[in-house]
Each structure stands twice: as C-alpha cells, then as structure tokens.
Amino acid sequence: MSCATLAKGLLDLEVARARIIAAAEPVRGEERVALEQAAGRVLACDLVARLDMPGIDNSAMDGYALRIAELTEAGLPVVLRVPAGAEVEALPAGGCARIFTGAPIPKGADCVVPQERVRLDAAGRVHVIGEATPGANIRRRGEEYREGDALLGAGWTLNAAALALLASQGIAEVPVLSRLRVALISTGDELIEPGEPFSPGRVYNSNRVMLKALLERADCAVLDLGVIADEPAALRAAFITARDGADLVICTGGVSVGEEDHVRPVLDELGGLRFHGVAIKPGKPFAFGYLDDGSPAGVPLIGLPGNPVASLVGWHLLARPFVLGCQGRSVGPLQQYRVRAGFSRRASRGRRELLRVTLDWQNEGPVALLAGGQGSHMLHAASQAHGYLMMAADTDVEEGHEYLYLPAGQFVD
C-alpha cells in the first residue's frame, strides 16, 4: 500500500513495526536462576554441551541385543538381562541379551531386535522373525551432539523442551537476562476497578487487567501504577515515577488531542513522541517515544489506545515485538497466509482493518467468519477470535475471496 493511500499523518503498519523493532535495545544485566525457575526466561550467553548425548551406545527398543553373525536356525540362548542404568558388560559368545529401552548395549552386540519380532521356543531360545540389520535400534554415543557442541544460544527463550535439554546435561542453574521492568499506567477519569460499585458513565478498567496479564505472560516485571486521574500534575508525577523505576513505560488512553486528553502535553514536557498514529483499525492512536530528554538515551514509552480491542491489537502488532527486542529475543516477520472469507463487508477508508475472525474447517480449507461485533470496544469477539483477517485500506471484503490471515497463536508467549 502506498503512503498516498494512508489516512493523513498516519504511519503504515510495516513502517511503524520496523521503526519500533529497530528501536528496541536489550536490557543490561543478568542473573543466575535455578532451572526450575527459568521457564520463559532468556539466556544471557551461549551454552555448550558438557556431555556426549547419548552418553553411551544404548537400546532404542525393548528387545534382544545380539551378534548377527551368530544367528542360526537353532536360535540363541538368553545369557544376559540388561535394564536401563546397568553397567556395560560383554556379550558372551553364542548368546543374546534381553535388553530394555535406554539400557547400555553389551560389548560385541551389533543389533537390537524388537521383542515383537522375536519368537521364543520351548527352551527359551530366541528366534528372529525376518531380517536383522547391523546397527538397528542402537542409539550411538554422541549421535545427537558431542561434548563442546553448541547447545543453546544467547537470546534463546527457555521453553519446556529447552529446559529438558539443559536438565539432560545435568545443568542446575542458568544465566539469564534480567527481567524487563515495565511500568503500567492507566488514564481516564471514567475508569473504575472490577469489584467497585458501578454507576452510569463509569467504565470498568479492562485494559489494566489485560495488559498486566500479557506483560507477565511475556516474563516482564510489572510496576502497576494503577489509574491516574486526567490531571496534568497527577500524570506528571506518575510518569516521573514510571521513568525512574522501569526500563519501559506503557500507558493506555488519553494520548489523543481532545480538550480532556492531558497525557500528550505531559509527555512532550517530560520527553517526546517519535511517532503518533498508525494506519490500522483498530489501533490508530498508537504512540511511541522516550521520557527524559526525548532521545533513545531516555526511557522508552509506548502509548496504547484506551479502547480495549485497539489496545490489544496495538500490543500484538507493535508493543509486543518491542518488548521481545528489549528482552534480547528475536522478532520474526508476521506469520500470515491467505484464507477465504465467509462474509462480505465494506472497507475501512485510509486504514488497514484487523477483523477478529474464527476459522471454519468444515469445508475444503479454512473459511474466515466474523467472531462477533468489530467495534474497538467489543471484547467478546476478541476473546473468541482465532486470529485477524487483515484487510487493505479501501478494499471491501467479498465473500469467497481470499485475504491475508494472521493466526493469533503467534502472539502467545
């Protein structure tokens, strides 16, 4: 989409995304944590293997270890029993070993025959059904990696499989980057917290709960400053506290230019915005800048819209990749593929629209259906959606035509 088709003064999504990813600087500092406490943390340095894996030749099956050259029609007697964890023994000539998965291969054996391919005669001798292949069902020492081989690189997010890999090496502690400290500020005189009495004109604060959950899921340390009144002095004090206590400040609401939106003047006073407004619907009021002197040497600030779905879209497409970059994690391109639309809809003018959709797999290939109402305040559809159908500006949705689809799974940490 050319810049000429964008709503006036708004950044294209790709441009905004590229700018904010480029601006992300990994946090400094690291700590050592127990492996059991390292889920979701980011490695601070490269790790190499301490041991060969596997550490010995071992069996991949429950079965019988033998020398193929000794197989005869008379069968082989079972002369050893080798469970997992046993010492390595030599296989006596003319016999075979009953062996179990993970057990060390006896010296001299060159094959493991699975138990389902073995027949035992009345004397308990082993007869192989079919062919026996040299090396079959033997895991060789170091076939996965050798001592000193690269294991995991700096910047790797420690998921369950990575933790299991480290545990298999006997590693009990890992060096990880310090958690990103994020100050969270909600603005709006109309906001009340869940559990407080409701009255007309008030709105329960859903953004705070949503963003705190997203930040904690992304392994951030959250400094929750609560709801700040739409009053310059209160906002100034809150942003100074956030700036001095966090690596990143995220605020929601009040960044527009209305008479009651006081956030923007306070931000200009305490630093400055690098851009404000992205050509997406919902999510247009997204803002990015720095507190302190307004330069990248200051504390970065992300301003998310007040409407909750707009805030969620802004998090998924722009704020989350910035957080990942600040954590030292890699940020890949958006995952997207084309799906057919099961509905028609008029286009948004001058902005891409992120429609919240579910996928119907009952027919040939997935079909996108609207998950519900598409207003930027309508959380029900957002809670049900499988992903976004991303529509180009000024392009109507026509039922049966294909459009870009962004699966929601890529935004889950």
Side-chain angles (χ1 to χ4, degrees), residues 322-341:
F322 183 77
V323 166
L324 295 182
C326 290
Q327 292 173 320
R329 296 200 262 176
S330 60
V331 182
L334 287 170
Q335 301 169 20
Q336 51 191 348
Y337 55 91
R338 302 187 74 83
V339 300
R340 287 184 295 126

Side-chain angles (χ1 to χ4, degrees), residues 171-184:
I171 295 172
E173 288 187 341
V174 286
V176 296
L177 293 179
S178 299
R179 277 194 169 95
L180 184 71
R181 298 169 300 166
V182 181
L184 183 59

Side-chain angles (χ1 to χ4, degrees), residues 62 67 76 88 105 129 149 170-171 182 232 272 290 328 340 351:
D62 289 350
R67 295 182 184 89
L76 293 172
V88 178
I105 301 296
I129 302 169
D149 285 350
I171 295 172
V182 181
Y290 294 92
R340 287 184 295 126
R351 288 187 283 162

Side-chain angles (χ1 to χ4, degrees), residues 217 316 320 335 385-388 405-413:
R217 185 73 178 266
H316 282 160
R320 180 177 175 272
Q335 301 169 20
H386 298 154
Y388 298 115
Y405 171 76
L406 280 61
Q410 67 183 299
F411 307 121
V412 177
D413 293 290

Side-chain angles (χ1 to χ4, degrees), residues 138-195:
I138 296 176
R139 301 165 177 160
R140 295 299 182 186
R141 177 175 180 170
E143 69 177 17
E144 184 177 2
Y145 50 82
R146 290 283 187 178
E147 179 184 352
D149 285 350
L151 205 59
L152 295 173
W156 195 269
T157 302
L158 294 171
N159 58 20
L163 294 175
L165 174 64
L166 298 180
S168 74
Q169 287 285 293
I171 295 172
E173 288 187 341
V174 286
V176 296
L177 293 179
S178 299
R179 277 194 169 95
L180 184 71
R181 298 169 300 166
V182 181
L184 183 59
I185 295 175
S186 300
T187 66
D189 289 337
E190 76 281 9
L191 296 178
I192 55 176
E193 294 299 330

Side-chain angles (χ1 to χ4, degrees), residues 22-40:
E25 293 286 342
V27 293
R28 295 178 177 85
E30 63 181 75
E31 57 184 319
R32 297 190 68 85
V33 299
L35 199 62
E36 292 85 353
Q37 305 300 319

Side-chain angles (χ1 to χ4, degrees), residues 23-93:
E25 293 286 342
V27 293
R28 295 178 177 85
E30 63 181 75
E31 57 184 319
R32 297 190 68 85
V33 299
L35 199 62
E36 292 85 353
Q37 305 300 319
R41 301 298 294 271
V42 178
L43 273 182
C45 63
D46 297 340
L47 296 181
V48 299
R50 298 177 177 179
L51 307 168
D52 294 344
M53 186 58 66
I56 55 171
D57 292 353
N58 69 85
S59 178
M61 294 280 187
D62 289 350
Y64 295 85
L66 49 83
R67 295 182 184 89
I68 295 176
E70 294 181 341
L71 286 173
T72 67
E73 291 185 2
L76 293 172
V78 179
V79 295
L80 283 179
R81 185 178 186 277
V82 189
E87 296 293 329
V88 178
E89 297 186 57
L91 180 64

